[in-house]
Amino acid sequence: MSDRYADLHIHTCFSDGSDTPEEVVRRAAQAGLSAVGITDHDTVDGVAPAMREAASAGIEVLAGVELSSDYHGKDIHILGYLFDLNDSPLVKKLREMRQVRVDRMKKMVARLAELGVRGVTFEEVAGLTRSDAVGRLHLAQILVAKKAVPSLEAAFERYLGEGAAAYFPKYLQTPFEAIRLIRESGGIAVLAHPMLTQRDELIPAFVKAGLDGLEAYYPNCSMAVANFYVGLAQKHGLLVTGGSDSHGKGKTSTYIGKAFLPGVHLEKMKALAAQRRTV
Ligand code: AMP
Ligand code: FE
Ligand code: FE
Ligand code: ZN
């Protein structure tokens, strides 16, 4: 391949993806990618196994994570990359974030029972993830399996989407705090899928708080939209990133390599992280 491409937004079975980290790496190599970012929700447990597999697959693995945060009731996702995996403030805080997920899932299961959806246990939902990063996609999968809803979409519409009957927020932090946490752990902080979040007016404030990049390349969005965010990134002196947000079988609308980042942007990202380490 003349150019290198990276998919920097991938979930594994350590959060709400279905593929193991090893499968992610092998699929990415088969898809012709040169690099992947493992970005599970609130855990980095998938990073080391992916890195071990990467050597034989001839692919590069970037440490990553996707943090949820709250801005006045709106769910905003911040991606972190290339942070210190050993005992950094970020890695320490993830344990607390997963505990919030566990407590919240227990509340969601109890609320569903009140709503008449009985027979779902916390243990079976938690059994769908290899770590304790349990989330709504797991619960939605159980609801489909038990035929309480006809589809994952219906599960979110009826019960689990923001503001729906069994929805509980999980946030410990604002986006500003999430950005700070990533930065103080030596990482690169990126606003995930801005075209879905639709809070562009906050970007200047995020930049002041230390935001490093915008996820401009994302599946199921047009080149015009991607180019808009590339332009916005340029305007603010930010990096451009991108990825598929693959969840394996959990999300049929995307897959590894469906959206990808030209290698030149990955090099810029790594250069910034390296430059920060030397100062
Ligand atoms: P949580 O982190 O537990 O709040 O769950 C968020 C995850 O649920 C997202 O990363 C998606 O994987 C999934 N999700 C959110 N909304 C939907 C939806 N409408 N349809 C399918 N999956 C969704
Ligand atoms: Fe997810
Ligand atoms: Fe997200
Ligand atoms: Zn994601």
Side-chain angles (χ1 to χ4, degrees), residues 162-183:
E162 272 180 90
Y167 176 75
F168 282 88
K170 62 176 172 297
Y171 313 104
L172 278 180
Q173 63 200 341
T174 67
F176 303 99
E177 288 164 336
I179 291 166
R180 218 171 298 137
L181 190 59
I182 292 165
R183 289 293 307 270

Side-chain angles (χ1 to χ4, degrees), residues 9 11 39 41 66 193 245 247:
H9 191 156
H11 296 269
T39 54
H41 300 287
E66 184 172 25
H193 41 67
D245 206 358
H247 285 67

Side-chain angles (χ1 to χ4, degrees), residues 159-279:
Y159 298 115
L160 308 178
E162 272 180 90
Y167 176 75
F168 282 88
K170 62 176 172 297
Y171 313 104
L172 278 180
Q173 63 200 341
T174 67
F176 303 99
E177 288 164 336
I179 291 166
R180 218 171 298 137
L181 190 59
I182 292 165
R183 289 293 307 270
E184 70 188 22
S185 301
I188 300 286
V190 174
L191 179 61
H193 41 67
M195 61 295 287
L196 294 187
T197 301
Q198 298 193 359
R199 285 296 187 279
D200 291 353
E201 71 278 11
L202 297 173
I203 290 173
F206 292 163
V207 173
K208 274 203 192 112
L211 188 76
D212 295 304
L214 297 182
E215 190 177 46
Y217 297 104
Y218 195 73
N220 311 316
C221 90
S222 67
M223 263 335 262
V225 168
N227 287 335
F228 171 79
Y229 285 106
V230 170
L232 206 53
Q234 276 166 353
K235 181 179 149 196
H236 290 288
L238 295 173
L239 297 167
V240 170
T241 77
S244 64
D245 206 358
S246 162
H247 285 67
K249 290 193 217 46
K251 227 185 216 185
T252 51
S253 57
T254 186
Y255 49 82
I256 292 168
K258 177 140 196 209
F260 48 81
L261 182 72
V264 56
H265 293 295
L266 175 60
E267 294 312 318
K268 283 184 189 167
M269 193 172 160
K270 283 160 61 180
L272 178 61
Q275 180 196 329
R276 290 212 183 120
R277 275 195 292 275
T278 58
V279 293

Side-chain angles (χ1 to χ4, degrees), residues 77-93:
H77 291 176
I78 306 289
L79 294 159
Y81 294 103
L82 299 167
F83 44 82
D84 177 10
L85 277 167
N86 297 313
D87 233 26
S88 59
L90 169 61
V91 172
K92 281 187 193 147
K93 187 93 177 180

